[in-house]
């Protein structure tokens, strides 16, 4: 894939999510305008007290907040935080002694997330503009990284894994949900299943994902298939630890 190809895909992803953010701000459930997306409103069990717009504007393929087993006082980073629901739920889990960062490359999603944080009265959150391939935080800045059906959209996943490893403290952990493809599917077959911005076409294989995490230095990697998201494609729960 050429740099121009990567830029084109990144622009398409950003445009799609900007459109979805605008839909949420207009009072729509963003899945209503997303017929080709493989993700949906995650259906969290603990959204009581959150702004309606945060729930309405959520997309994902699981509940990374629960996957990461967040603890009081921890600092957590959500890669591709969208409308902010996982950041707000994380802020609840880590409490006032902890902090939750959200990172997104789309100004419209950041506007939506910040508005949701204000409506929720949540003070221990911060939303950052940037790309998950170049996280705007210093080394060893966070205890936990979460992400919800986002890393598969990246055209440079080795960079995402390397940056995740860099900003985690020693002993820090990764707890994410994502879309993965069965190993038997070729790249061409994955491309047949939908647009990269719709996330199925960008889905890496289970082996590619594990190898990427291992190559970045992660250990204690577990990848557990969850629900089927397409022919040979699944949502999955991924956990890993920085030694």
């Amino acid at each position: 894939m050429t740099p121009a190809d990567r830029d084109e895909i990144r622009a398409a992803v950003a445009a799609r999510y900007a459109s979805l953010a605008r839909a949420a701000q207009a009072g729509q459930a963003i899945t209503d305008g997303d017929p080709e997306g493989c993700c949906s409103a995650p259906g969290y069990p603990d959204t009581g007290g959150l702004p309606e717009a945060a729930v309405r504007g959520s997309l994902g393929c699981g509940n990374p907040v629960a996957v990461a087993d967040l603890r009081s006082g921890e600092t957590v980073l959500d890669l591709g935080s969208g409308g902010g629901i996982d950041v707000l739920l994380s802020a609840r889990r880590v409490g006032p002694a902890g902090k939750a960062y959200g990172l997104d490359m789309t100004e419209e999603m950041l506007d939506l997330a910040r508005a949701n944080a204000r409506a929720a009265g949540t003070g221990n959150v911060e939303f950052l503009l940037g790309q998950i391939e170049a996280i705007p935080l210093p080394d060893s800045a966070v205890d936990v990284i979460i992400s919800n059906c986002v890393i598969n959209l990246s055209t440079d996943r080795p960079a995402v894994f390397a940056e995740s490893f860099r900003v985690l403290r020693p002993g820090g952990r990764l707890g994410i949900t994502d879309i993965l493809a069965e190993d038997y599917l070729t790249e061409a077959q994955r491309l047949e299943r939908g647009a990269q911005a719709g996330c199925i076409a960008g889905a890496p294989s289970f082996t590619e994902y594990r190898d990427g995490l291992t190559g970045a230095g992660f250990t204690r990697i577990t990848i557990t298939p969850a629900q089927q998201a397409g022919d040979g494609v699944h949502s999955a729960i991924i956990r890993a630890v920085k030694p």
Side-chain angles (χ1 to χ4, degrees):
M1 183 180 296
T2 68
D5 291 335
R6 294 183 187 217
D7 289 344
E8 182 179 352
I9 291 171
R10 185 179 291 116
V13 171
R16 171 178 179 251
Y17 283 93
S19 175
L20 295 176
R22 288 191 292 269
Q25 290 169 334
Q28 302 173 32
I30 60 178
T31 49
D32 293 345
D34 187 35
E36 296 182 359
C38 60
C39 300
S40 60
Y44 298 98
D46 51 356
T47 58
L50 289 184
E52 181 184 345
V55 180
R56 187 174 60 238
S58 63
L59 280 176
C61 55
N63 184 351
V65 178
V67 167
D69 189 26
L70 299 178
R71 303 159 195 161
S72 177
E74 290 186 318
T75 299
V76 57
L77 167 65
D78 181 14
L79 299 181
S81 50
I85 190 169
D86 290 315
V87 175
L88 298 180
L89 290 172
S90 295
R92 282 183 178 178
R93 293 284 186 96
V94 301
K99 183 166 184 175
Y101 289 101
L103 174 63
D104 206 280
M105 68 174 180
T106 310
E107 290 275 14
E108 290 86 350
M109 278 296 185
L110 289 170
D111 289 343
L112 177 63
R114 288 167 179 148
N116 287 333
R118 289 192 297 271
T122 306
N124 58 334
V125 300
E126 183 176 348
F127 291 97
L128 307 170
L129 176 65
Q131 297 176 3
I132 61 175
E133 298 86 357
I135 298 171
L137 286 173
D139 295 355
S140 303
V142 302
D143 300 296
V144 186
I145 287 177
I146 64 171
S147 187
N148 197 346
C149 196
V150 170
I151 295 175
N152 61 295
L153 298 172
S154 173
T155 57
D156 191 357
R157 279 180 290 273
V160 178
F161 295 142
E163 280 288 274
S164 298
F165 191 87
R166 178 184 67 79
V167 301
L168 278 171
R169 294 171 182 142
R173 61 195 187 279
L174 192 83
I176 61 181
T177 55
D178 216 342
I179 298 293
L180 277 67
E182 294 281 357
D183 287 344
Y184 71 82
L185 289 178
T186 66
E187 184 175 356
Q189 288 172 324
R190 282 179 256 168
L191 288 170
E192 290 172 356
R193 281 156 171 76
Q196 171 93 28
C199 79
I200 289 181
S205 72
F206 283 81
T207 296
E208 288 170 348
Y209 216 93
R210 180 180 294 276
D211 288 349
L213 289 168
T214 300
F218 286 98
T219 60
R220 293 164 55 187
I221 300 165
T222 63
I223 301 177
T224 307
Q227 297 182 340
Q228 189 169 9
D231 184 15
V233 182
H234 307 266
S235 62
I237 295 167
I238 301 105
R239 295 182 174 96
V241 174
K242 176 177 178 176

